[in-house]
Structure formats: C-alpha cells, structure tokens
Amino acid sequence: MTNADPFLAQLERARVAAKSLATVTTAQKNAALEAIAAALESSVPEIVAENAKDLALGAQNGIGDGLLDRLRLDETRLFGLAAAVRTVIALPDPVGEVLRGSTLANGIRINQVRVPFGVVGAIYEARPNVTIDIAALALKSGNGAVLRGGTAAENSNRVLVNLIQRALSSVGLDGDAVQTIDEFGREGASRLMRARGYIDVLIPRGSAGLISTVVQESTVPVIETGSGIVHVFVDATADEEMAAAIVTNSKTHRPSVCNAAETLLVHRDAAARMLPRLARELQESGVALSGDGAARASLDGIAEADDETWATEHLALEMGIRVVDSLDEAIAHIARYSTHHTESIVTQDYANAERFLAEVDSAVVMVNTSTRFTDGGEFGFGAEVGISTQKLHARGPMGLAELTSTKWLVRGGGQIR
Amino acid sequence: MTNADPFLAQLERARVAAKSLATVTTAQKNAALEAIAAALESSVPEIVAENAKDLALGAQNGIGDGLLDRLRLDETRLFGLAAAVRTVIALPDPVGEVLRGSTLANGIRINQVRVPFGVVGAIYEARPNVTIDIAALALKSGNGAVLRGGTAAENSNRVLVNLIQRALSSVGLDGDAVQTIDEFGREGASRLMRARGYIDVLIPRGSAGLISTVVQESTVPVIETGSGIVHVFVDATADEEMAAAIVTNSKTHRPSVCNAAETLLVHRDAAARMLPRLARELQESGVALSGDGAARASLDGIAEADDETWATEHLALEMGIRVVDSLDEAIAHIARYSTHHTESIVTQDYANAERFLAEVDSAVVMVNTSTRFTDGGEFGFGAEVGISTQKLHARGPMGLAELTSTKWLVRGGGQIR
C-alpha cells in the first residue's frame, strides 16, 4: 500500500526505513555515519553554494546578523560537523543494552532492553547544523528522523539531507530513514505534530515560542527542551572568590545559551560582604544589571528590577539581582520563576547545600559550580540532542540513551496462569 | 496568593502539598498508607452506604451489569483494597534511588537520582478501586494525585478521597496531596488535560475512547495505557500440548483484560497438524471463532474473519484465526494490526524465537508463555499503575519507578568553564 497523500507517503517511507534500521549492527550504523562525515568534508563547495542561497534570502528579508551567523555554513563549520559525527561514531550503541532482568518464581526470564523509538521528529529554526546533529544521533540509536528545519534554511537542509540519504545508500542502508519536510512549509510542521502512528517522539528546538506551539498543538509525544531562567544563589557563607568566579562565568561565558544564568540571588549577609564586587565584575564583563530595592541600595545607578525581570530569559548580557533574607526565600523565588532547567548555590554550609539539592525542583541542581556545566558534552554523553526541561522520559541533558525506548523480552517454557 | 478560580485553587493546593511530600521519609509515607488501609477496614459501613447511592443511580440509568459490578464496593473488596495498600507499603521507596553517577575529569561529581513527578493526574471511569490504587502508588512515590473518577462513581470516590485526606492528616502529612475533581464534571476533566504547570503527568485508564480523547486533547504529558490487540503466533515447529495450553490460557483466562489474546496466527504446517485441536479447546471454553479462508477450510462452520476482526480488541470470548505461510507473514500481520502491547510466539525453533523477539515492536514480546503474564504483579513490581503502550518514559507494566522523574545533583568545588 502506498499512501496517496504525498506527506503521509513520505512519513511512511521513513517509518519503513526506520524499521530496518532498528535491527542493523552497530558496525553498519557506524559505517553510515563515517560516510556522512566524509561527504561533509568532500562536498564543501556544493553545500556552501546552497547555503549561500539561504543567506542571500535571509539578508534580503532582513533577518538580522545573529540569525544570519547561525545560518552560515563554511568549510571550518562543515569540518566541525564532520568531527561531531565522528564523536557519535565513538559513542557506545545504546540499542540492546539490558536495563533490568530477572527470573520469575515460575521460571520465566524477563529482560528489559533498550530499543530505538522508531522515527524521531524534529522541528527547529534556521540551524542547518542541527540537521546533521539530530540525524547522526537518531541513526546511531537506530531511529529514522523526519526533520522540519524551517524555510530560512531550506536550501541548506535539502543539500544536507540529500547527502545523508546518499551516504546511507552507499553502505547498503535505506536512505529514506532521514527525510526533510521543509517543502511542505508551515502546513508540514502542523501535520508533523499530529502524525501519531508515523512519528514516535517529537523534539522542538528553538525559541520559547516555537517550543510552546509544539507542546500545545502536538498529539505526538513531545520532549520539551531548552528554555532556561537559570538562578545562582550566593548563600551567607559563600567564599567570595568562588562566588565571583561562578557568578561571572555562569552569566558571561556564553550568554545566549539556555544554561547561562539570568538571575542572581544573594543572601543579605553575603550582599553586605561582596555584592559590590560581584556587580563590578559583572559590569566589567559588559553585563547590564537591574536589582530589587536592597540591591539598588548597595549598588550605584542600576535599573529597577520587577516581576518581568525575574520571569524573563534574557539570553543576553543582562542580569537581575535580588537580595533575600534566607535560603527559604531563595528556594521560594526559584520555585516561582524558574523554568526548572538549572540552579546553583554557592555556599560553605553543608546543611544548606543538601537542602538546596533536595528542595529545588529542577533538571540539574548544583553546589559550587558554574551553571554552564549543564551540557551533554560536559556530562560525558559525547553529544547532545538538547536539554529536557520536562519530567517525562528525559530530564536534563539528553544523549543517545534518551533517544531510545525499551521493550520487555520474555522467555518461557510453556508457562500459563 | 490564592487562586480566585476554585478549580485552579484546588490544583494549587495539591501542588503545594505534593511539594512537601517530595521530601518526607519513607517511614512517614508508609505510616500514611497504613492509616489509609486501617481506615478502609474500619469505615466499611460509610463507604458501602455512599457506594449504594452510585449503584442506585447506575441501575436507574441502566448502565449494565458489568459496569455495576465494577462499581460495587463491599466488605470483601474493601478489605482487598486495604491488603493492596499494604502491598505498596512493603515495596521499596523509589525516591532517591541513584541511577547513574560519575566524577567528571574536572572533579565535579554528578548523580542522577529518582525524584517524584510532583502531581499525577488520573482520569478513569466507574472504578472506585482505582481511586485507592492510584492514590497509594502516587503517595508511596512521593507524588500528589488529582483524580477524576467519573460521575458514575462520584459518591464512592468522594468518601474514599475524604478517607485518604484524613489518613494523611492523622500522621501529620498534608491531606491536600490527594484531591478529587469529580464535582467539576466533564469541564473539570477537560481543564485537567490542559493544566500544565499544575499537573506533571496524566494517566488515563479505561476505554479506548477515553484514552484517545485524553491523548488528543491533553497538553499535559500523557502516559497512554491499556488497549491490547494481542497476538499469539503458533509457529511450524510448535509443541502441540504447549500451543494448546498457551492459546487457551491467553484467550480465556480473563478475556476482559488488555493482556488477553485477540488473534491467533498459525503457521500453515502447524495448522495442518493441530488447528482442529486448538479450535476445539477454544470452543469448549466458549470462544466464538472466526477465520480467514485457510482456517475456515480446516474448521467447520466458523465465521469469516475480515479486516475489522483483526483490528478489534474484543475483550470477550471471541477470537480471529489466520493461517500464515511464514514467520515474516506473522510479523507483518502483527506490525499492521497490533496495538504494541503484547505478542507471544510458540515455537521450538531458536532462530525464529530470537527473530520474533528482535523484530516485533511491542511493549512485551514473549516466547512460549501465555500473554497473561504481561502484568506488574507477575513481573514482580508488586502493584501496577497500568500498562503503557507508548514508547516515551514507560513501556509495558508500570510500577512505582514509572511514577518518578529524575534530577541531576551536581557537587563541585568552585569549577567554572
């Protein structure tokens, strides 16, 4: 049966190809990934030419320098992508890993093993590198991938998906395992969100607006990634050097990413001791500060922070500062404003450290480290699909294991109930 | 801040209470569960009196004997529920279990630990026993629970939830952790499905229609449970005695539940050898058979099976029989019609057994056992929230562990990037 609807027919081809991928060996999958890496290196001129069309269109539409930069592929970046694919080759294959197993009293043996999801859907914006990242991770974990990379990167994504499909075919695997649906436009994205039975899990990557739309509209199970209103709490007993280093690093190391800190909470005692220094170091790194009454009383000329300050993911060199009277007040502020991504306490107090770890309900809760360590690479996962801020299935940095489901294998000898 | 909307105010109370539950000790949670068990035993007259109102209304509305029986609570059943709660007391507490941990090259120590979801929502129909089951499992795993048990059981659910709330208070825990929203009617169910930020995961239990509605309408993450178009495949080499026992047990042991078999696939060679006997034993157990052309040719007077037969979860003493030419044809039939719950092969052939286990994409895949073993109790989980047929988060029988999320605890000594 071929589906008369071209969109569903394409999803069906991905599903059939994914089924064959589920049982191929790790060696075969690694060979496909190596073919992709090699093709990225040998196809620089073609890819750059297609990418130039997207860049020209983007410039014409005035999409801004930041977006244009994200959109750009050049030789250095393509070789970087090839290197990233080879990192995925080096990772252990999650498929077949036995998670639990036992022999029941009646002699039946049960084993819970990791299996691929089937087909992973991804919706993202103007980031052709994500096309390679997601495809590589999906393939290594035995999944097909249906990608909606957005109109702004349509030419770049098309050439990259063609390259992946040819690489798969070149090692005897089904090229249909990776598909782009960019040609179906916005309608394609909407249909992808409702393609139950074709898509097993959908991962949105991008702006808070994009993620929220996918979460609201999708009937396919979604893994919500990304948005981070991240807090650093400098406790009464914090070491001044350590606090200064962690606050500045968390805010300024790479302000545009989700694990960058947005709000600084400072215990009243620590504020008296070191807030001017913390503020000065942030300002010297170019951070525009705002603060509550107590913060403004000890810092000259910073703007007034309000409810919107605490509820905003700036993704820029801006930071709100609030002085709190206690650990409880810090935890309460975080419970109210956090997106449950990452929070860090700087403290020398054992009991406060343990309470913060236990009571803050975020994907990653830290003591005495920069929030920038919430990252699949830093955690040793080798590659990252994104950072889940939901509680179902995956929470925090997602690696290959998070792109798998499980099944139970039950072996008996004629048992009945 | 109290919420002016009474529905959201109630959900907010559950959320606040759940927060305090997340960090109480196992001993405290077990004390609360024992108080619930004791109250079930000591409150039989009140509960039976409230249940009688639901039964009377049900009879008046002509809801049918099966439903009325499910709705009924009597002394035996209430003592059975108390015993089930004590089983949950005996289970290990999943909260705090360390799933992964390592020390990074920079000295940072990371640990992934199980934490409660927060608030579990449940939508079910006319089954007051589920009120106790879900509440007990939610509490043991440190979660709050918001229950929508349906108008038909409204009086029974109200008295049970009151009992749970009093039991929680009696041991010093916040009674608001368990709530019923039956009084808000259908509107309450709809709002529960969209209560992101209040409800962390929603579990529908009941008819295929109910589950499908929740999956389609919910913006809260859902764990889909239940529906089972379950297959037994009798391979060419199957042992006749074993095949007869497994087929009959899978179909007739308890035909109304999701792990009961609905379709019998028989290899052509096995059909010639034993189909008449398999059919006779099924018919002697009261099963109405239908079959494809080949099955009907070897069995007298059975009805004709069609596409609808294969696609129906009968939940009754009805079974479709199809003769297939090969293992591939059996696997293809299952891929097309299965709800991916449970499938079992009966075979003496090692390679076919392993291929069936590898290639059938269902939550539980079996060799030489009755499909009735797909069950949390049988798997040693002690209690069961339901059987997940989705691939995200949980797949197959769900116990306490499946009612938890995880978080990463990161302990450092001032590290920055």
Side-chain angles (χ1 to χ4, degrees):
Chain A
M1 286 184 310
T2 50
N3 205 309
D5 177 326
F7 180 80
L8 290 180
Q10 191 173 339
L11 266 46
E12 177 65 21
R13 287 200 302 279
R15 208 176 64 84
V16 169
K19 207 165 167 55
S20 69
L21 261 190
T23 51
V24 305
T25 62
T26 306
Q28 285 173 285
K29 291 185 286 191
N30 285 344
L33 292 169
E34 177 52 40
I36 292 170
L40 285 167
E41 292 168 339
S42 64
S43 311
V44 170
E46 299 97 289
I47 299 169
V48 168
E50 291 299 314
N51 182 244
K53 297 182 192 168
D54 290 330
L55 291 171
L57 215 63
Q60 199 177 310
N61 295 336
I63 64 169
D65 289 348
L67 265 175
L68 274 179
D69 182 60
R70 272 175 24 185
L71 199 51
R72 180 170 291 113
L73 293 173
D74 55 25
E75 178 159 5
T76 310
R77 287 186 177 181
L78 288 168
F79 273 68
L81 281 175
V85 172
R86 292 201 176 95
T87 309
V88 175
I89 294 175
L91 294 174
D93 188 337
V95 176
E97 187 191 348
V98 180
L99 298 178
R100 286 189 274 183
S102 62
T103 301
L104 307 182
N106 57 16
I108 290 177
R109 298 176 303 285
I110 66 174
N111 278 289
Q112 186 187 36
V113 300
R114 283 200 194 282
V115 295
F117 268 124
V119 180
V120 174
I123 299 183
Y124 49 100
E125 288 165 330
R127 295 214 148 171
N129 61 307
V130 173
T131 302
I132 297 295
D133 283 349
I134 300 252
L137 291 163
L139 291 172
K140 178 78 183 212
S141 51
N143 292 292
V146 174
L147 308 170
R148 151 75 186 169
T151 321
E154 192 171 343
N155 294 292
S156 311
N157 289 332
R158 188 187 306 116
V159 69
L160 291 173
V161 168
N162 281 341
L163 173 157
I164 294 165
Q165 292 177 335
R166 285 198 309 271
L168 284 167
S169 302
S170 76
V171 299
L173 298 181
D174 189 339
D176 282 335
V178 177
Q179 306 271 354
T180 167
I181 56 158
D182 283 348
E183 62 173 296
F184 295 97
R186 280 174 177 281
E187 169 72 8
S190 296
R191 295 191 67 187
L192 189 65
M193 295 182 213
R194 308 193 76 84
R196 281 184 77 86
Y198 293 92
I199 303 295
D200 294 289
V201 61
L202 190 55
I203 301 172
R205 277 183 66 168
S207 67
L210 169 80
I211 292 166
S212 157
T213 300
V214 173
V215 163
Q216 294 290 327
E217 292 188 9
S218 186
T219 59
V220 172
V222 171
I223 300 180
E224 197 178 347
T225 65
S227 90
I229 298 179
V230 166
H231 298 77
V232 176
F233 171 49
V234 175
D235 195 13
T237 61
D239 175 84
E240 184 172 332
E241 294 300 319
M242 190 190 288
I246 288 174
V247 169
T248 303
N249 187 259
S250 297
K251 178 69 242 179
T252 68
H253 182 254
R254 201 170 160 204
S256 66
V257 295
C258 61
N259 62 15
E262 302 294 1
T263 300
L264 172 61
L265 302 171
V266 189
H267 190 282
R268 189 167 299 279
D269 298 349
R273 206 154 43 91
M274 64 176 100
L275 186 51
R277 173 180 170 182
L278 297 180
R280 189 180 65 246
E281 294 196 12
L282 287 165
Q283 286 169 327
E284 283 169 4
S285 297
V287 180
L289 300 177
S290 56
D292 69 349
R296 297 179 78 208
S298 68
L299 301 172
D300 282 343
I302 71 166
E304 189 173 348
D306 57 15
D307 215 57
E308 206 188 314
T309 311
W310 315 131
T312 300
E313 185 183 16
H314 305 292
L315 296 173
L317 288 171
E318 297 170 39
M319 188 170 223
I321 303 177
R322 181 170 174 187
V323 176
V324 296
D325 286 331
S326 62
L327 174 64
D328 288 297
E329 202 179 319
I331 292 175
H333 179 101
I334 290 168
R336 176 145 179 220
Y337 294 103
S338 171
T339 53
H340 310 292
H341 185 295
T342 299
E343 334 294 337
S344 184
I345 185 175
V346 186
T347 190
Q348 301 297 325
D349 185 293
Y350 173 77
N352 282 4
E354 293 299 314
R355 269 197 62 202
F356 193 83
L357 289 171
E359 293 179 28
V360 171
D361 181 29
S362 296
V364 185
V365 191
M366 302 175 150
V367 178
N368 293 347
T369 75
S370 167
T371 60
R372 288 277 296 129
F373 285 108
T374 295
D375 176 88
E378 295 291 329
F379 272 28
F381 297 174
E384 183 181 281
V385 186
I387 294 174
S388 166
T389 52
Q390 71 176 35
K391 292 185 180 174
L392 206 70
H393 186 74
R395 199 173 187 209
M398 292 191 288
L400 287 173
E402 284 73 22
L403 282 186
T404 63
S405 180
T406 57
K407 74 178 176 189
W408 287 96
L409 306 180
V410 175
R411 292 176 171 94
Q415 286 87 344
I416 59 169
R417 284 179 74 179
Chain B
M1 288 183 313
T2 50
N3 205 309
D5 177 324
F7 179 81
L8 291 181
Q10 190 174 339
L11 264 48
E12 177 65 22
R13 287 199 303 278
R15 209 176 65 85
V16 169
K19 209 168 166 52
S20 69
L21 260 190
T23 50
V24 304
T25 62
T26 307
Q28 284 174 285
K29 292 186 285 192
N30 285 344
L33 291 169
E34 177 53 38
I36 291 170
L40 284 167
E41 291 169 340
S42 65
S43 312
V44 170
E46 298 96 293
I47 299 170
V48 168
E50 290 300 314
N51 182 244
K53 297 182 192 168
D54 290 331
L55 290 171
L57 214 64
Q60 199 177 310
N61 294 336
I63 64 169
D65 289 348
L67 266 176
L68 273 180
D69 182 59
R70 271 172 30 183
L71 200 50
R72 180 170 291 113
L73 293 173
D74 54 26
E75 177 158 6
T76 310
R77 288 186 176 180
L78 289 168
F79 273 68
L81 281 175
V85 172
R86 293 200 175 97
T87 308
V88 174
I89 294 175
L91 294 173
D93 188 338
V95 175
E97 187 189 350
V98 179
L99 298 178
R100 288 188 273 182
S102 62
T103 300
L104 306 182
N106 57 15
I108 289 178
R109 298 176 304 286
I110 66 174
N111 278 289
Q112 186 186 36
V113 299
R114 283 200 195 283
V115 295
F117 268 122
V119 180
V120 174
I123 299 183
Y124 49 100
E125 290 165 329
R127 295 212 150 174
N129 60 308
V130 173
T131 301
I132 297 295
D133 284 349
I134 301 251
L137 290 162
L139 290 172
K140 178 79 184 209
S141 50
N143 292 292
V146 174
L147 309 169
R148 152 73 185 168
T151 321
E154 193 171 344
N155 294 291
S156 312
N157 289 332
R158 187 188 306 115
V159 68
L160 291 173
V161 168
N162 282 341
L163 173 157
I164 294 165
Q165 292 177 334
R166 284 198 311 269
L168 284 166
S169 302
S170 76
V171 300
L173 297 181
D174 188 339
D176 282 336
V178 177
Q179 305 270 355
T180 167
I181 56 157
D182 284 348
E183 64 173 294
F184 294 98
R186 282 175 175 280
E187 169 73 7
S190 296
R191 295 191 68 186
L192 189 65
M193 295 181 212
R194 307 192 78 81
R196 282 184 76 87
Y198 293 91
I199 303 294
D200 295 289
V201 61
L202 189 56
I203 301 173
R205 277 182 66 168
S207 66
L210 169 80
I211 292 166
S212 157
T213 300
V214 173
V215 163
Q216 294 291 328
E217 294 188 10
S218 185
T219 58
V220 172
V222 171
I223 299 180
E224 196 178 346
T225 65
S227 90
I229 297 180
V230 166
H231 298 77
V232 177
F233 170 49
V234 176
D235 195 13
T237 60
D239 176 83
E240 185 173 332
E241 294 299 320
M242 191 190 286
I246 287 174
V247 170
T248 302
N249 186 258
S250 297
K251 179 68 242 180
T252 68
H253 183 255
R254 202 170 159 204
S256 65
V257 295
C258 61
N259 61 15
E262 301 295 0
T263 299
L264 173 61
L265 302 171
V266 189
H267 190 282
R268 189 166 298 281
D269 298 349
R273 207 155 42 90
M274 64 175 99
L275 186 52
R277 175 182 169 180
L278 298 181
R280 191 180 64 244
E281 293 195 13
L282 287 165
Q283 286 170 325
E284 283 170 4
S285 298
V287 180
L289 301 176
S290 56
D292 69 348
R296 296 179 79 209
S298 68
L299 300 172
D300 282 343
I302 70 166
E304 191 172 346
D306 57 15
D307 216 57
E308 207 190 312
T309 311
W310 316 130
T312 300
E313 186 185 18
H314 305 293
L315 296 174
L317 289 171
E318 295 171 40
M319 188 170 223
I321 303 177
R322 182 170 173 188
V323 176
V324 296
D325 286 330
S326 63
L327 174 64
D328 288 297
E329 203 180 317
I331 292 174
H333 178 102
I334 290 168
R336 177 149 177 217
Y337 295 104
S338 170
T339 52
H340 310 292
H341 185 296
T342 299
E343 334 294 338
S344 184
I345 185 175
V346 186
T347 191
Q348 302 297 325
D349 186 293
Y350 174 77
N352 283 4
E354 293 299 313
R355 271 197 61 204
F356 192 84
L357 289 171
E359 294 179 28
V360 171
D361 181 28
S362 296
V364 185
V365 192
M366 302 175 150
V367 178
N368 294 346
T369 73
S370 168
T371 59
R372 289 277 295 128
F373 285 107
T374 296
D375 176 89
E378 295 292 329
F379 273 29
F381 296 175
E384 184 181 281
V385 185
I387 294 174
S388 166
T389 52
Q390 72 177 31
K391 292 184 179 176
L392 205 71
H393 185 73
R395 199 175 187 208
M398 293 191 287
L400 287 172
E402 286 72 23
L403 282 186
T404 63
S405 180
T406 57
K407 74 178 176 189
W408 286 96
L409 305 181
V410 175
R411 292 176 170 94
Q415 287 88 344
I416 59 169
R417 284 179 75 177

